[in-house]
Amino acid sequence: MEQRKISRAVISRLPRYYRYLGDLLEAGVERISSNDLSKKMQVTASQIRQDLNNFGGFGQQGYGYNVKYLYTEIGKILGLDKTHNFIIIGAGNLGQALANYAAFERSGFILKSLFDVNPRFEGVAIRGIPVRMMDELVDFLKENEIEIAALTIPKSKAVEVADILVENGIKAIWNFAHTDLDLPDDVVVESVHLSDSLMTLSYNVSQRREGLTEDEE
Amino acid sequence: MEQRKISRAVISRLPRYYRYLGDLLEAGVERISSNDLSKKMQVTASQIRQDLNNFGGFGQQGYGYNVKYLYTEIGKILGLDKTHNFIIIGAGNLGQALANYAAFERSGFILKSLFDVNPRFEGVAIRGIPVRMMDELVDFLKENEIEIAALTIPKSKAVEVADILVENGIKAIWNFAHTDLDLPDDVVVESVHLSDSLMTLSYNVSQRREGLTEDEE
């Protein structure tokens, strides 16, 4: 596949394209014009054309996009045509929520184990996937090819655990801890800061409350 | 407080400033220069100065920012000086994870109830907060001042439930369902799409795997 430099802004929109195209596919839609996709996604048609042009040749003027082809190609770009083994550190509610989300597996993310310090999880399995104790982590990483670790632990432990993961070959961290992680450049970190999201919501609610309108651009 | 139009880009960075300033406050730091804050946050000092200038007069040349003052003022801008009553629709793992996150309460987000359709949650309470059945939702909304609803339910139900919430006065939805919500303009929607986040991670991992370097800008 041709590789060129794609801007972060475009990349950040790809999962959303992928989601909409997946919905269209499920609904049996075979082709869609950039105008129709534009209405659905509430993005301008010209933005859609520009974004998808980055990958070349998916659309034909006046004929629209082939939904399945575009879905598959964007999937490849996102790395979803390969499998990614992952583990979850923290078997609390959030860790279990992630473990129970079967759609991840359909996208190639294979959960191999959860880990926790709490002995009440000893011997527990979630969807058949065992929770192991944290003192088994390093050996487990040595014996298994794990690429991604999701961190659903408190911020007080996150930095220390992230360092152990990276020392033992983890190349990507999906971070739910309430802190940023400062890791070597070759480690990918994707953070989901739930409280940042709630504060953005709170800001917007407060603005509405005060009767200030916000322009949607 | 002086109100002016603040760009979305700045707003989107405020929760992160708030988080770092909170950490500094906890660590007993009283003042910080934009340079030191810059190093911590890995944002340029000039970006920090520009961002914080939007709110006017927090910093003094050569003297740095008063951490507590800045934390408090950003908190006000984010609406964290007021309380926001909220409910959670969906008492599964993710709903419970949110319900158990006590830090939200310290920021003024008061959880009043969870709701679920599953009778196994009948009579259950989480941190003392009851899970009610979905058929009690409309009456509950009539009898209580609820501003925000978190949606932690499957996408197949999300659109229908969001409509019911909005019809009954909810002004903001924190959406975890795997779909976008198309709601009236006066309703604030903040979506956390976990699978979009995982796909972004996957993209970056795949690029690294192929030995393509990514510039961090």
Side-chain angles (χ1 to χ4, degrees):
Chain A
M1 188 176 56
E2 190 200 353
Q3 287 289 353
R4 34 170 167 161
K5 190 87 186 80
I6 297 160
S7 79
R8 271 173 187 265
V10 177
I11 298 304
S12 72
R13 289 189 287 267
L14 287 188
R16 192 157 176 264
Y17 284 115
Y18 190 75
R19 182 150 46 83
Y20 274 80
L21 291 163
D23 288 349
L24 290 169
L25 210 56
E26 260 180 43
V29 177
E30 290 180 10
R31 302 198 76 82
I32 190 160
S33 67
S34 50
N35 282 328
D36 288 350
L37 192 55
S38 154
K39 272 172 219 144
K40 270 197 171 303
M41 294 186 64
Q42 306 196 309
V43 179
T44 66
S46 91
Q47 166 98 81
I48 289 177
R49 283 190 295 266
Q50 269 179 43
D51 281 353
L52 301 184
N53 276 348
N54 274 285
F55 314 107
F58 294 142
Q60 282 168 266
Q61 196 74 40
Y63 192 59
Y65 296 103
N66 177 317
V67 172
K68 181 152 196 200
Y69 179 72
L70 194 48
Y71 178 79
T72 308
E73 290 302 309
I74 292 182
K76 282 184 201 166
I77 291 156
L78 291 171
L80 305 179
D81 55 333
K82 308 182 185 86
T83 59
H84 301 274
N85 290 338
F86 82 110
I87 56 172
I88 297 173
I89 313 287
N93 286 311
L94 185 54
Q96 289 187 38
L98 298 181
N100 277 314
Y101 196 51
F104 292 153
E105 202 152 300
R106 287 198 299 274
S107 302
F109 299 95
I110 314 296
L111 179 61
K112 292 294 186 177
S113 185
L114 296 93
F115 289 87
D116 206 288
V117 287
N118 192 329
R120 82 180 161 97
F121 289 116
E122 188 121 45
V124 170
I126 293 159
R127 282 201 304 128
I129 299 150
V131 182
R132 292 181 169 83
M133 294 294 100
M134 278 299 277
D135 56 16
E136 303 170 67
L137 175 64
V138 171
D139 283 345
F140 184 86
L141 290 175
K142 281 181 185 143
E143 287 154 21
N144 294 273
E145 287 276 338
I146 306 296
E147 195 171 25
I148 301 171
L151 274 192
T152 61
I153 54 178
K155 90 175 166 181
S156 58
K157 291 283 170 211
V159 172
E160 179 193 335
V161 170
D163 286 342
I164 294 171
L165 290 166
V166 169
E167 276 162 30
N168 288 281
I170 288 291
K171 285 295 167 213
I173 292 186
W174 198 18
N175 173 41
F176 289 81
H178 189 59
T179 188
D180 293 331
L181 299 172
D182 187 15
L183 295 171
D185 281 349
D186 64 335
V187 179
V188 173
V189 179
E190 170 77 18
S191 292
V192 178
H193 289 307
L194 294 179
S195 63
D196 288 16
S197 168
L198 185 56
M199 284 176 195
T200 304
L201 183 75
S202 162
Y203 171 82
N204 286 319
V205 167
S206 302
Q207 294 297 99
R208 300 285 162 106
R209 233 192 221 178
E210 290 170 23
L212 297 176
T213 53
E214 189 195 7
D215 53 14
E216 307 281 347
E217 64 195 53
Chain B
M1 189 175 56
E2 190 200 351
Q3 288 290 352
R4 36 169 164 163
K5 190 85 186 78
I6 299 159
S7 80
R8 270 172 186 265
V10 177
I11 298 305
S12 70
R13 289 190 286 268
L14 287 187
R16 191 155 176 265
Y17 285 116
Y18 190 75
R19 182 150 47 83
Y20 274 81
L21 291 163
D23 288 348
L24 289 169
L25 209 56
E26 260 180 42
V29 177
E30 289 180 10
R31 305 196 74 84
I32 190 160
S33 68
S34 50
N35 283 328
D36 288 348
L37 192 55
S38 155
K39 271 172 222 145
K40 270 196 172 300
M41 294 187 65
Q42 305 196 309
V43 178
T44 65
S46 91
Q47 166 99 81
I48 289 178
R49 283 190 295 266
Q50 269 179 41
D51 282 352
L52 301 183
N53 276 347
N54 274 286
F55 314 108
F58 293 143
Q60 282 169 264
Q61 197 74 41
Y63 191 58
Y65 296 103
N66 178 318
V67 172
K68 180 152 195 200
Y69 179 72
L70 194 48
Y71 178 78
T72 308
E73 291 302 308
I74 292 182
K76 282 184 201 166
I77 291 157
L78 291 171
L80 305 178
D81 56 332
K82 309 185 186 82
T83 59
H84 302 274
N85 291 338
F86 81 111
I87 56 173
I88 295 172
I89 313 289
N93 285 311
L94 185 55
Q96 288 186 38
L98 299 181
N100 277 313
Y101 197 53
F104 292 153
E105 200 151 302
R106 288 198 299 274
S107 301
F109 299 95
I110 314 295
L111 179 60
K112 291 296 187 178
S113 184
L114 296 92
F115 290 87
D116 206 289
V117 287
N118 192 329
R120 83 182 161 97
F121 289 116
E122 187 120 47
V124 170
I126 293 159
R127 281 202 305 126
I129 298 151
V131 183
R132 294 183 169 84
M133 294 294 100
M134 278 300 275
D135 57 15
E136 303 171 66
L137 175 63
V138 172
D139 282 345
F140 184 87
L141 290 175
K142 281 182 184 144
E143 286 154 23
N144 294 273
E145 288 275 338
I146 306 296
E147 195 172 24
I148 300 171
L151 273 193
T152 62
I153 54 178
K155 91 175 163 179
S156 57
K157 292 282 171 212
V159 172
E160 177 193 335
V161 170
D163 287 342
I164 294 171
L165 290 166
V166 169
E167 276 164 29
N168 288 281
I170 288 291
K171 286 294 165 215
I173 293 185
W174 198 18
N175 173 41
F176 289 81
H178 189 58
T179 189
D180 293 331
L181 298 172
D182 186 17
L183 295 171
D185 281 348
D186 64 335
V187 178
V188 172
V189 178
E190 170 76 17
S191 291
V192 178
H193 289 307
L194 294 180
S195 63
D196 288 16
S197 168
L198 185 55
M199 285 176 193
T200 304
L201 182 74
S202 163
Y203 171 81
N204 287 319
V205 168
S206 302
Q207 294 297 101
R208 300 286 162 106
R209 237 192 218 177
E210 292 170 23
L212 297 175
T213 54
E214 189 196 6
D215 52 14
E216 307 280 348
E217 61 194 53

